[in-house]
Amino acid sequence: MQTTLLLDMAAEAAPDRLALGGLADGISFAELQARARGGAAWLAGQGGETVVFLGLNGPAMPAAVFAAGLLGKPFAPLNYRLTDADLNKLLARTAPSIAIVDDDMAGRLKPVPGVTVVSRSAFEAACLDPVNRAAELDFVDPDIAVLLFTSGTTGEPKAAILRHRNLTSYVISTVEFLASGEDEAALVSVPAYHIAGISAVLTGVYSGRRTVHLAAFTPEAWVEAAATEQVTHAMVVPTMLGRILDVLEARGERLPKLKALSYGGGRMPQPVIERAMRILRHVDFVNAYGLTETSSTIAVLGPEDHRQAIASSDEAVRRRIASVGRPLPSLEVEIRGPEGEVLPAGQSGEIYVRGEQVSGEYVHKKVIQDDGWFATNDGGWMDADGYLFVEGRLDDVIVRGGENISPGEIEDVLREHPQVADVAVLGLPDNDWGEKVAAAVVAKEGAPSAEELAAFVKAKLRSTKTPEVWEFREALPYNDTGKLLRRQLKAEMSGKQPAAA
Amino acid sequence: MDLKPGSRWKSAVCDTEVVVVRPPKTPVELECGGHPMVANAEAKPEGLTLSAEHSAGSGMGKRFADEASGLEVLCVKAGAGSLSIGGQPIGAKDAKKLPASD
């Protein structure tokens, strides 16, 4: 099954419903379908085996996703926030390709053999050209839908392969066709090169929900778009949510039309989600856990789970606010130990997942097992009721004197300290212990001392989990989709070796 | 009838079209409107009419699953006929109750 079929269904069943853009100037599902066809006919004449997209999010992006699908060519969105050198290196890896590039970004690219660059405005014009729209397209049976370069926070970006069958399986097993009300609109603020930016196109179309793209995220622009476009649904990454809440509080804005806010793409600090639930009492919160390699979401903590956890006096229920909820019914999740053995509830190990939406493949490298199980490289555990707790990337686990220490656990404790604004915990090389626990802290006014914070952690956790190295910083390094750049931080802190507590 | 995952089939007697989501464990003959469905690329046989017994209609976006064979299909084009295997109607799956997460 191919992704274009999802659009064809929406365009047939609800041709005049708004698909993309504003209430005043949005385009319908029939129009999106016509643009995708026009764009596909034009791209077919440009050569290239992959359709690269380098640009801000907006209506041209879904048109390009479906146009690439119609041609049977992978859609490969690139990260425009990379340095010019990294961007050009990545672009060269897509050859032979046709690259749709925002007009004001074209100047950053060097000529690369096998890559044809066309401007976004030329692609947009081609989508509207009646000759292109009327052109007959050859039937293709496409296979690879998307090539997504992973964020590369731990090295050279890998190109994850998502096949049409992975993505369509995800969509039809999680979304009910045309189940959205005509008044529903989703605000998409993650960029085109994030898996959630891709899956939002497909689930939005299949559910019949209007999608409003924010070209680039700022909390002010997000709040303004949510208010003026009467947005009912939105997905944010954790770093966005705190900043959005600041703007809402400062303006006294409560977004009465907003019904559901989902978050994912990183660990959500507990104080932030609790604050969000206090400020936006009318909103349903959803925590979604997923990876690029799994076509987006694999586990969901739903609105009722959130409310129960906050209201409960039972510690086992309360702590679920820090979980990612339960796996989707359409797939299987297991926690496995170092020998691959399946671990019982309550024990930490590596999270494995199996299901039709799971690709587990990179260009030149298949990492999924023959029996379909994919090792996520995330550590985690499940409680007795099947709620999944994610501890973070296994690469980030600190090994101190043979003991595995999860940075997330220590970070969670430190975030409860009233004078800690942000914190990252990581391992630094140590001659005696292999690694020692280090903390980088962004303090609020009236900065706490390292001794005070160390005592705070020690009172709640074991002394082996108490950071030995403390560094106070103005800010922590994040990439633009909210992922902490641990490797960069680690390199900076290893070089400096600041004062020990 | 090779009901491969992703293969597309059309009704011989109405507008219904389906895509196979999950193949059957053992070969089955999928019918719509009382007659075997036809591979999308092939011509429909002539002279057949919609059976009154199998005319409840197929709704676009509905998923139909046959427990006995494991076959699951998605209706991608609505039509007047309803689906059956060996004359036994196969039912629509319940709507999913998952919150939006993208």
Side-chain angles (χ1 to χ4, degrees):
Chain A
M1 187 170 171
Q2 64 192 78
T3 53
T4 316
L5 188 53
L6 306 173
L7 173 59
D8 290 344
M9 291 169 70
E12 177 162 338
D16 301 327
R17 210 190 254 218
L18 281 183
L20 295 174
L23 284 164
D25 58 357
I27 66 167
S28 67
F29 284 103
E31 174 60 21
L32 174 58
Q33 183 189 43
R35 287 189 187 186
R37 287 182 181 169
W42 183 73
L43 287 173
Q46 310 286 327
E49 284 165 27
T50 295
V51 177
V52 172
F53 184 85
L54 177 67
L56 300 179
N57 228 335
M61 183 270 191
V65 168
F66 290 116
L70 278 164
L71 294 175
K73 295 177 180 178
F75 176 79
L78 298 186
N79 181 352
Y80 48 79
R81 300 211 185 227
L82 293 173
T83 62
D84 288 3
D86 286 345
L87 181 60
N88 280 289
K89 219 156 75 181
L90 219 50
L91 182 66
R93 284 172 62 186
T94 66
S97 63
I98 168 91
I100 302 167
V101 177
D102 272 19
D103 296 54
D104 59 2
M105 293 183 191
R108 299 178 54 194
L109 302 178
K110 295 196 187 81
V112 183
V115 178
T116 307
V117 174
V118 294
S119 69
R120 182 186 186 122
S121 55
F123 173 73
E124 286 172 332
C127 291
L128 299 177
D129 186 328
V131 176
N132 292 332
R133 289 157 74 118
E136 281 284 325
L137 291 166
D138 291 335
F139 174 79
V140 289
D141 190 8
D143 182 17
I144 297 177
V146 174
L147 288 178
L148 210 49
F149 290 93
T150 56
S151 56
T153 51
T154 55
E156 192 80 358
K158 290 178 288 187
I161 293 175
L162 295 172
R163 296 180 191 277
H164 281 271
R165 61 179 157 80
N166 300 134
L167 290 167
T168 54
S169 166
Y170 168 66
V171 174
I172 65 171
S173 65
T174 59
V175 180
E176 204 58 33
F177 178 65
L178 224 56
S180 295
E182 290 221 40
D183 61 332
E184 290 188 11
L187 181 57
V188 175
S189 50
V190 286
Y193 52 84
H194 190 286
I195 178 61
I198 305 272
S199 56
V201 168
L202 304 177
T203 55
V205 160
Y206 197 66
S207 71
R209 186 178 290 136
R210 177 169 61 103
T211 295
V212 180
H213 280 118
L214 202 59
F217 177 83
T218 64
E220 294 80 12
W222 191 95
V223 169
E224 267 154 37
T228 51
E229 287 303 335
Q230 302 180 19
V231 163
T232 56
H233 292 69
M235 185 267 175
V236 293
V237 298
T239 47
M240 293 175 179
L241 185 56
R243 299 170 65 197
I244 289 168
L245 295 175
D246 291 343
V247 173
L248 291 177
E249 283 203 314
R251 296 188 182 180
E253 171 66 70
R254 290 298 178 268
L255 302 173
K257 297 274 185 191
L258 188 64
K259 287 196 258 188
L261 194 56
S262 70
Y263 57 94
R267 193 182 186 85
M268 173 65 82
Q270 205 165 318
V272 177
I273 185 61
E274 288 180 357
R275 181 176 166 221
M277 291 176 72
R278 276 196 309 274
I279 295 175
L280 298 169
R281 289 185 177 278
H282 61 293
V283 171
D284 282 349
F285 287 90
V286 175
N287 184 2
Y289 165 64
L291 297 93
T292 301
E293 299 89 335
T294 60
S295 308
S296 197
T297 308
I298 58 174
V300 167
L301 185 78
E304 213 36 55
D305 295 322
H306 277 79
R307 292 190 192 103
Q308 279 173 8
I310 291 292
S312 181
S313 52
D314 179 350
E315 183 49 35
V317 177
R318 279 193 70 79
R319 72 182 174 197
R320 282 183 197 153
I321 194 74
S323 79
V324 297
R326 285 191 271 214
L328 301 181
S330 51
L331 45 74
E332 302 163 86
V333 169
E334 285 179 356
I335 307 296
R336 298 198 192 173
E339 309 297 326
E341 74 281 16
V342 178
L343 299 176
Q347 276 193 38
S348 269
E350 182 169 4
I351 301 169
Y352 277 66
V353 59
R354 177 163 76 172
E356 285 160 6
Q357 72 183 69
V358 178
S359 91
E361 267 183 281
Y362 305 98
V363 173
H364 307 309
K365 194 177 175 203
K366 194 174 163 190
V367 292
I368 198 165
Q369 297 176 353
D370 288 340
D371 59 3
W373 284 100
F374 172 65
T376 61
N377 193 34
D378 274 340
W381 58 282
M382 260 190 197
D383 74 9
D385 296 305
Y387 286 80
L388 180 64
F389 292 75
V390 180
E391 295 171 322
R393 302 305 280 171
L394 286 175
D395 305 337
D396 298 334
V397 168
I398 303 162
V399 186
R400 183 187 183 276
E403 185 189 359
N404 285 357
I405 297 171
S406 160
E409 186 186 12
I410 304 167
E411 289 165 2
D412 283 353
V413 168
L414 281 165
R415 282 208 179 87
E416 288 168 23
H417 192 284
Q419 284 164 314
V420 171
D422 198 3
V423 61
V425 170
L426 42 84
L428 292 181
D430 183 82
N431 291 337
D432 296 328
W433 296 100
E435 278 189 304
K436 60 187 163 196
V437 182
V441 176
V442 179
K444 292 182 187 164
E445 271 177 50
S449 68
E451 289 77 12
E452 188 186 334
L453 292 177
F456 187 76
V457 176
K458 202 168 175 178
K460 303 206 174 199
L461 299 172
R462 282 198 299 280
S463 63
T464 53
K465 293 184 176 178
T466 304
E468 297 163 69
V469 176
W470 295 85
E471 183 173 302
F472 293 89
R473 302 170 65 103
E474 288 289 304
L476 299 179
Y478 287 97
N479 75 7
D480 59 305
T481 54
K483 280 206 173 70
L484 179 70
L485 299 171
R486 281 181 196 273
R487 227 165 58 110
Q488 182 184 326
L489 189 60
K490 201 166 174 166
E492 288 172 15
M493 289 179 70
S494 303
K496 270 197 231 161
Q497 292 295 352
Chain B
M1 177 175 245
D2 188 7
L3 295 163
K4 281 190 294 198
S7 63
R8 194 161 168 174
W9 300 80
K10 61 189 176 191
S11 169
V13 291
C14 69
D15 293 332
T16 303
E17 289 184 21
V18 301
V19 166
V20 175
V21 174
R22 197 156 290 124
K25 291 189 251 340
T26 50
V28 293
E29 193 103 302
L30 178 64
E31 305 135 351
C32 180
H35 301 279
M37 295 192 81
V38 183
N40 200 40
E42 285 169 25
K44 291 184 182 191
E46 282 176 38
L48 299 177
T49 52
L50 181 68
S51 148
E53 254 181 277
H54 301 285
S55 61
S58 299
M60 177 139 54
K62 291 273 179 281
R63 293 192 301 166
F64 298 88
D66 175 46
E67 278 189 29
S69 67
L71 173 70
E72 186 178 328
V73 298
L74 172 72
C75 174
V76 298
K77 210 169 185 328
S82 45
L83 303 177
S84 57
I85 289 174
Q88 292 297 313
I90 55 175
K93 292 183 78 168
D94 288 340
K96 296 168 283 278
K97 293 186 188 80
L98 284 170
S101 65
D102 291 309

